[in-house]
Amino acid sequence: RLDRLGLDAFSSDLDKALKSADVDELDLSYNNLSAIPQWVTECKRLRVLSISHNAITEIPIGLGQLSALTILDASYNSVVSW
């Protein structure tokens, strides 16, 4: 079981591995992301998500369906749509 994952550089191949992982905490900060990867909304056990210091402009509606998510750090982005 993968409880916590922090990334310094985001890899598109990583999404395949994480779709089946049981992730509790995910840190995608400082990865120059312009969007939250779709697979994040499939992490049903996700409690903590940090997407700070990126270039994200929209929070996908699927995040609202993650019932375990209690902490979302989206600071230092340019979010215009929630």
Side-chain angles (χ1 to χ4, degrees), residues 61-77:
I61 197 163
L63 282 187
Q65 297 175 6
L66 296 177
S67 59
L69 188 64
T70 57
I71 298 172
L72 173 62
D73 180 1
S75 60
Y76 298 97
N77 281 284

Side-chain angles (χ1 to χ4, degrees), residues 6-42:
L7 300 175
D8 292 330
F10 182 74
S11 167
S12 60
D13 292 333
L14 185 61
D15 67 338
K16 295 173 190 166
L18 288 177
K19 280 183 181 178
S20 61
D22 209 7
V23 179
D24 240 11
E25 298 182 28
L26 183 60
D27 188 348
L28 297 175
S29 301
Y30 294 97
N31 278 287
N32 202 29
L33 298 175
S34 58
I36 298 171
Q38 178 61 35
W39 55 262
V40 172
T41 63
E42 298 172 23

